[in-house]
Each structure stands twice: as structure tokens, then as C-alpha cells.
Amino acid sequence: MNTILCFGEALIDFHGQAPADAGAPPVFVPHAGGAPANVAVGVARLGGHAAFIGMLAHDMFGELLLTQLRAAGVDTSHVARTDAAPTALAFVAHAADGERSFSFYRPPAADLLFREVHFDDATFRDATAFHACSNSLTETAIAHVTVQGMRRARAADALVSFDMNLRPALWPRGEDPTPQLWRALAEADLVKLSTEELAFLMAAGGGEEDVFARLWQGPAQFIVVTDGARGLRWYTRGNHGGLPAFSVSAVDTTGAGDAFIAGLLYRLGDAGIGAKDLARLADDDTRRDDMLRFAAACGALAVTRAGSFAAMPTRDAVHAFLQQHA
């Protein structure tokens, strides 16, 4: 079975809504979310086999996350539970163009308490890919577990995917995330960055070419840099190019990157493409661009909907969208 393993953060996004009365306080509506959990739901909604690996709290929000992961068709058999910390919360405010800002309540949080002992070797046996992001690098212990998960996946011949998904507010005040980011980037076959995240890596020293040169020192075979409405750029060790964005009216950009990577991992898993096949796919213009257009359509659809799990599109919706934008 071509399973996409998604590891790390699951939390509740409280999305702000305008109050009915001008003088009333804002209203915040809870949505199940968290970047890797969004990706797992995104893959499952598209018809793929996704499993979420992480720690959920024994509280009302942990129950909500577990229920909604299962309802979306995500395999939760590798989820651990704890009473030692609550579920992390994020309050999300939206600008007129759908862009969002976050206020996080984490740590303490259950997702940070997953440890290496909670991994089961059988988890990796049927995995096509293992996906993680930087939200599980913000403390030393969970950062170690994240990197070990990436290494276990590689030992099982799974493709290792990393979406930087940098949220500076999650990191301890005054701490430079860069060393931990590079620890994870050095383990990834597939890397997704936003233009802002690429600029962040460049700010640590050197230009764009220096960042890519360092990435190519590791196992990376394919790098995608997304830039919202301006489209995306892709890079292999010997080539690069780009694709324009789909034109849509954005309502909420919260899950756009997660929907994009879910779409790409779904297509890779559906084709049975692991780490050993990624470079060959990335150099196949027709297949590569077809997969990237599919992933971009997933991201475009996600921004037209409010929510996190709720914004992840179905395969039928993506195909219909692509037909409309042929």
C-alpha cells in the first residue's frame, strides 16, 4: 500500500469572523488543523492512503482532532495520547485579501511530547513518503524525534518530504531557528519553501545559489518554491523552471501550502514514486508539470474556502477545477 505518513503537529485553529454587530467582540470558530495533519487530510480527501503520526491530548480538542482525522479517512493507528499537556491552539485573523496572521498558545502542548519510543518500525514498512515540517522542530526533544523519523523513513526507502512552513512565533524568543531548520533540510528528498522562507535562509548568509548549493549537498532531488498568486518555481540538480498560479478569489490562505504538498504527495504516492524515482520524475517535463499543476490546483481551491481540514479539496473537485482552467 502506498502510504503517505504525516508527522508532527495537530492543533485547533480558531478562525476569526466579523461579529454580527459592529460593537461586538470578534467571534472565533474552532477548526481542526495543524500543517502535517492538514496534509494527511488532504491526501485522504484526494483518495490516497494517509496516516497521521503524532501525540494528541486527552482533552476535548484532542478528541475533536482524532474524530475529524478519522472522518476524513486518515489512518490514526499510529497516534499516541497524553494527559501531560493540552492541545495547542492558534487564533487566526484574516486580512481582506485572505492573508492570515497567527497568535499561538503552545507550549505546553501535546504534540511536542511525541518521543522516539512512540514510533513503531511497522509504521514505515509500507510507506511511500514521510512528511514533516518545522513546527515539530521548535524544542530540542521533538526536533530530535522529527529528524529520527526522517532517517527511519529513508532507511525504509520512503521518500522524505519537508515543508519548511516557518512560524517564527512558535520558536522561543531570541532563538535562531536556522540550525534546526538545516538539520531537517539535510534529510529531505523533496523540499517545499515559500519565497519568504527562501529569503529567511538567504538572510543567514549567502545568496539564493548558496542556499541551493547547500540543499544539493544532501539527498534533495526536487525543490519547489511557492509564491502565492505569482506562481511557483521548481529546481532539480540540473534544471529549473516555473508555473503560473491559478487566478482565484482568496477567502482564507491558511491551508494553501498544505493542500499543495498534499496534492503533490498524493500524485507521487499514486504513481508509486519513492526517493529513488524522484529525480527521474523531476526531469520528465510532462509528468512533472502535470503533477505540479494538480498540486497548484489543490492549493488554489483551498484558498477559496475557510478552515483547515475543511479547506482540503476532493479529487473530483480538483479535476473539475483543472477542466475549467485547461
Side-chain angles (χ1 to χ4, degrees):
M1 186 180 296
N2 295 330
T3 302
I4 309 299
L5 303 177
C6 300
F7 171 77
E9 174 200 40
L11 51 71
I12 300 297
D13 289 321
F14 281 87
H15 289 247
Q17 295 185 349
D21 299 321
V27 175
F28 288 90
V29 178
H31 291 272
N38 288 341
V39 174
V41 169
V43 171
R45 286 259 174 85
L46 292 168
H49 187 257
F52 178 72
I53 308 174
M55 182 74 77
L56 299 182
H58 278 298
D59 60 16
M60 69 174 71
F61 294 128
E63 292 300 325
L64 174 63
L65 286 163
L66 189 63
T67 298
Q68 294 207 4
L69 283 166
R70 288 172 174 167
V74 175
D75 179 355
T76 60
S77 61
H78 309 297
V79 168
R81 305 295 299 273
T82 183
D83 291 312
T87 301
L89 307 178
F91 287 81
V92 188
H94 300 94
D97 62 358
E99 283 297 327
R100 68 276 189 264
S101 57
F102 297 92
S103 294
F104 292 102
Y105 290 80
R106 171 187 185 254
D111 64 286
L112 298 172
L113 300 182
F114 192 96
R115 295 295 178 259
E116 199 169 353
V117 69
H118 297 121
F119 281 130
D120 180 349
D121 287 337
T123 304
F124 300 93
R125 196 168 296 145
D126 297 321
T128 297
F130 179 92
H131 175 72
C133 78
S134 70
N135 296 347
S136 57
L137 300 176
T138 57
E139 293 186 354
T140 301
I142 192 64
H144 171 78
V145 175
T146 302
V147 172
Q148 289 304 310
M150 297 170 85
R151 290 175 178 170
R152 286 194 183 202
R154 179 175 311 288
D157 293 327
L159 182 152
V160 178
S161 165
F162 185 74
D163 178 2
M164 194 157 133
N165 196 48
L166 182 62
R167 300 284 181 263
L170 287 176
W171 294 77
R173 189 183 300 271
E175 180 175 334
D176 179 10
T178 309
Q180 292 287 21
L181 294 174
W182 276 111
R183 281 186 67 203
L185 288 165
E187 302 292 338
D189 304 294
L190 169 64
V191 175
K192 179 193 166 296
L193 306 170
S194 68
T195 52
E196 295 82 5
E197 290 159 355
L198 177 57
F200 180 90
L201 294 175
M202 291 165 57
E208 185 174 296
E209 291 184 359
D210 299 295
V211 172
F212 284 114
R214 185 168 178 180
L215 286 168
W216 299 136
Q217 290 175 10
Q221 300 294 328
F222 193 39
I223 302 167
V224 180
V225 180
T226 58
D227 195 12
R230 287 171 290 278
L232 63 84
R233 292 175 286 157
W234 57 263
Y235 300 83
T236 67
R237 290 175 181 263
N239 201 3
H240 62 88
L243 286 176
F246 293 103
S247 179
V248 295
S249 297
V251 172
D252 180 359
T253 62
T254 303
D258 302 329
F260 175 90
I261 199 70
L264 185 54
L265 289 173
Y266 162 73
R267 288 294 302 274
L268 291 171
D270 190 52
I273 293 170
K276 295 177 181 177
D277 310 305
L278 184 60
R280 186 165 62 252
L281 166 78
D283 285 328
D284 183 330
D285 292 348
T286 301
R287 295 184 73 197
R288 178 199 62 237
D289 289 354
D290 177 60
M291 288 191 179
L292 286 174
R293 273 180 55 80
F294 183 91
C298 292
L301 278 169
V303 305
T304 66
R305 305 168 179 181
S308 303
F309 286 10
M312 300 298 112
T314 64
R315 182 173 51 196
D316 287 346
V318 176
H319 286 314
F321 181 89
L322 287 169
Q323 288 179 350
Q324 293 168 4
H325 296 79

